[in-house]
Amino acid sequence: QVQLQESGPYLVKPSQTLSLTCTVSGGSLTTDLYYWTWIRQPPGKGQEWIGAITYSGSIFYNPSLKSRTSISRDTSKNQFTLTLSSVTPEDTAVYYCAATQDLQVRTDDYWGQGTQVTVSS
């Protein structure tokens, strides 16, 4: 069974850059045919899809976040990383990584437990 674990939690200051790493076990970033996905949920709000990197290395971003977002992977470590620059307090959220079948995230996909990111001065 695929398991995912996010790094963190994190406290970062506005304007700084956030980097989160998802470590995958029980599966492979390159041979398991998943979209390796980042999602976040701000307090009191719904989930927001951030982006994904596929088993083949294709990358997809939420257009609203694309200018500040970078997703990469380290296949030797079986990890993929989210980098979010110029953060503001509105970026405060629980961040999740997930293994999904496509660009639509489903509850029964494989999910990490989530990690708290707080942006505060």
Side-chain angles (χ1 to χ4, degrees), residues 5-6 19-20 28 38 48-49 51 57 61-63 65 69 71-72 82 86 90 100 107 112-115 119 121:
Q5 183 171 335
E6 304 90 347
S19 291
L20 302 176
S28 170
W38 287 102
E48 181 179 32
W49 181 85
Y61 296 110
N62 185 331
L65 299 170
T69 303
I71 295 173
S72 61
L82 168 68
S86 302
E90 291 191 350
T100 69
T107 303
Q113 64 186 135
T115 189
V119 181
S121 60

Side-chain angles (χ1 to χ4, degrees), residues 27-34 36 55:
S28 170
L29 294 178
T30 57
T31 62
D32 290 315
L33 306 186
Y34 292 115
W36 305 97
Y55 58 91

Side-chain angles (χ1 to χ4, degrees), residues 19-80:
S19 291
L20 302 176
T21 297
C22 183
T23 300
V24 176
S25 61
S28 170
L29 294 178
T30 57
T31 62
D32 290 315
L33 306 186
Y34 292 115
Y35 290 64
W36 305 97
T37 300
W38 287 102
I39 311 99
R40 69 181 184 181
Q41 186 164 22
K45 299 181 180 180
Q47 295 173 347
E48 181 179 32
W49 181 85
I50 299 170
I53 184 166
T54 74
Y55 58 91
S56 63
S58 299
I59 302 173
F60 302 88
Y61 296 110
N62 185 331
S64 69
L65 299 170
K66 183 177 181 179
S67 65
R68 300 192 292 129
T69 303
S70 179
I71 295 173
S72 61
R73 66 180 179 177
D74 185 337
T75 57
S76 69
K77 297 180 179 180
N78 219 25
Q79 295 177 328
F80 63 105

Side-chain angles (χ1 to χ4, degrees), residues 85-107:
S85 65
S86 302
V87 299
T88 75
E90 291 191 350
D91 293 314
T92 294
V94 176
Y95 284 71
Y96 300 90
C97 56
T100 69
Q101 298 181 60
D102 50 41
L103 294 177
Q104 181 178 352
V105 180
R106 299 173 175 86
T107 303

